[in-house]
Amino acid sequence: MKTIRVALLGLGTVGKGVYHHLTTNRKRIEKEFGITIDIATIIVKHPEKHHSFERKELISNDFQTILDNPDIDVVIEAIIGREPAFSYLTKSIQAEKHIITANKEMFAFHGKELLHLANAYNVQVGFEATTAGGIPIIHTIKRLFQYNQISKLTAILNGTSNYILSEMRNNKLSFEEALQQAQQLGYAEANPTNDIEGYDSFYKLMILSLLLYQEQPNWDYVKRKGISTITSKDIANHTANRERIKLLAVLEKQNDNISARVEPLAIPESHPLYGVEGVQNAVILEGSIVGEIMLSGPGAGASPTASAILEDLTFILRTGLSTHISPIYS
Ligand code: HSE
């Protein structure tokens, strides 16, 4: 049976989710694909923090071992921030390894470069996990929205913010209590400023812009406002008016002009995003032929993000390893 060797960068919430699902589904994948997926190494910054991990012999802080091992086919990156993630993935591509990333900040900044580099080296880039958690929005746009032109996208892209707003309204929690719960549930970033100040939604929106329009608007002209100033009183006032506050991310292309914004807005009961509650995310696409469609699903957490990564891995197993297809943006 063919063995595919995977290196994992990071063993936080997402890394552990990937490890768990790869391990527990091993037999089924062997049966369905005729492939054994072997986790060859797990690279972390502080190996000593993982002494209780069940396979601690896999853990190291030496990234170079991945580059030195020609048998590693795929590098899965689930670490935080632009560096060293970007350098690691650049070197992985140059070593002719397929890459999969869950790192939205890094990919919003460097996605275009990585896609071009991967094209030059004939390897694939999976980035489903960067955006909207477990919703297969990247694959949907890449593969199922080719003929339509998308003029507008309206979305809830941050699970933590949506969870906080829902808990403040439904369970009368304070902002701080709701944020603490979101952290305990593994929804929030290590630095929750990214969630509550709209940066996380902004990065995801920029990735969607790259995917839909092959470019991004000038970041300086994108409004980015989070939910940190929303009070329980604001929530109560809007609830009395049968409105809900949602952190909306909007991307539009008119003529050749792309505009984007992230901001909390009160929406009425009739709005399709009104019922998107808790950690759910949703994306509304306006297609030139199909009209308006909406995809929704869990937007954060170990399993939804691992799901997106593992679907990328499956796609690479089904296509990239045999054919080396890597058209840019598709
Ligand atoms: N902190 C992110 C969120 C995780 O709450 O949406 C998923 O990207």
Side-chain angles (χ1 to χ4, degrees):
M1 192 175 301
K2 188 172 167 60
T3 299
I4 296 303
R5 291 192 178 79
V6 168
L8 186 56
L9 308 182
L11 196 57
T13 304
V14 176
K16 282 187 184 131
V18 170
Y19 175 85
H20 170 76
H21 289 288
L22 270 180
T23 310
T24 52
N25 288 290
R26 179 189 297 268
K27 287 269 172 300
R28 183 177 62 81
I29 296 297
E30 284 177 358
K31 198 165 160 225
E32 279 179 31
F33 288 72
I35 289 175
T36 298
I37 301 176
D38 179 36
I39 301 176
T41 184
I42 303 173
I43 303 297
V44 299
K45 201 168 167 186
H46 299 292
E48 68 282 2
K49 288 188 183 165
H50 300 275
H51 54 83
S52 59
F53 185 68
E54 63 183 35
R55 295 208 48 207
K56 58 175 176 289
E57 74 280 7
L58 295 180
I59 295 180
S60 135
N61 58 5
D62 187 0
F63 172 75
Q64 185 62 35
T65 57
I66 296 178
L67 302 180
D68 293 342
N69 184 350
D71 291 338
I72 292 177
D73 305 284
V74 183
V75 175
I76 297 177
E77 182 255 324
I79 54 182
I80 292 163
R82 290 178 229 173
E83 285 295 352
F86 175 60
S87 301
Y88 284 175
L89 294 184
T90 299
K91 288 176 186 166
S92 300
I93 291 171
Q94 288 165 338
E96 299 186 342
K97 299 176 191 310
H98 301 281
I99 62 161
I100 297 173
T101 178
N103 187 329
K104 47 249 155 156
E105 178 175 350
M106 182 282 300
F107 206 73
F109 272 89
H110 296 300
K112 201 168 190 169
E113 264 171 280
L114 287 175
L115 288 165
H116 279 94
L117 189 66
N119 198 46
Y121 281 86
N122 260 333
V123 294
Q124 296 214 48
V125 179
F127 56 102
E128 186 68 70
T130 59
T131 304
I135 305 174
I137 185 67
I138 305 292
H139 279 271
T140 300
I141 292 173
K142 278 205 291 200
R143 302 190 204 295
L144 307 174
F145 260 89
Q146 292 291 304
Y147 203 92
N148 280 267
Q149 290 174 300
I150 311 290
S151 55
K152 186 172 180 186
L153 175 152
T154 308
I156 293 173
L157 294 176
N158 184 255
T160 299
S161 297
N162 206 49
Y163 179 85
I164 291 172
L165 294 169
S166 301
E167 287 297 308
M168 286 172 77
R169 187 181 56 255
N170 296 332
N171 295 324
K172 307 284 177 281
L173 296 193
S174 68
F175 183 93
E176 290 72 24
E177 286 168 333
L179 172 58
Q180 205 178 2
Q181 280 193 5
Q183 288 176 301
Q184 281 160 2
L185 290 164
Y187 301 156
E189 300 298 298
N191 176 3
T193 305
N194 277 333
D195 295 297
I196 62 177
E197 299 298 355
Y199 290 101
D200 181 80
S201 297
F202 168 81
Y203 295 139
K204 291 166 178 171
L205 197 59
M206 292 304 102
I207 291 169
L208 289 169
S209 179
L210 184 61
L211 181 62
L212 283 170
Y213 306 130
Q214 292 75 57
E215 57 182 328
Q216 298 174 344
N218 184 330
W219 287 19
D220 293 340
Y221 299 122
V222 178
K223 179 174 182 181
R224 179 205 42 79
K225 189 171 188 292
I227 62 160
S228 63
T229 56
I230 307 280
T231 63
S232 298
K233 193 155 176 275
D234 295 328
I235 303 258
N237 289 343
H238 284 293
T239 305
N241 286 339
R242 305 175 91 163
E243 291 174 336
R244 288 180 180 169
I245 303 174
K246 298 286 175 192
L247 183 63
L248 297 189
V250 181
L251 180 71
E252 279 179 274
K253 186 167 186 184
Q254 281 177 345
N255 304 319
D256 277 338
N257 185 40
I258 301 171
S259 64
R261 56 191 184 275
V262 173
E263 59 184 332
L265 287 174
I267 56 174
E269 260 178 309
S270 56
H271 195 289
L273 296 177
Y274 182 88
V276 177
E277 287 280 78
V279 73
Q280 297 293 105
N281 280 189
V283 183
I284 300 171
L285 297 167
E286 292 182 21
S288 54
I289 299 170
V290 69
E292 188 176 291
I293 66 153
M294 178 165 121
L295 290 90
S296 67
S303 289
T305 313
S307 162
I309 288 173
L310 295 171
E311 291 301 340
D312 274 343
L313 180 61
T314 310
F315 187 79
I316 290 171
L317 296 183
R318 289 222 190 265
T319 59
L321 292 175
S322 54
T323 61
H324 273 256
I325 302 167
S326 84
I328 303 180
Y329 309 115
S330 61

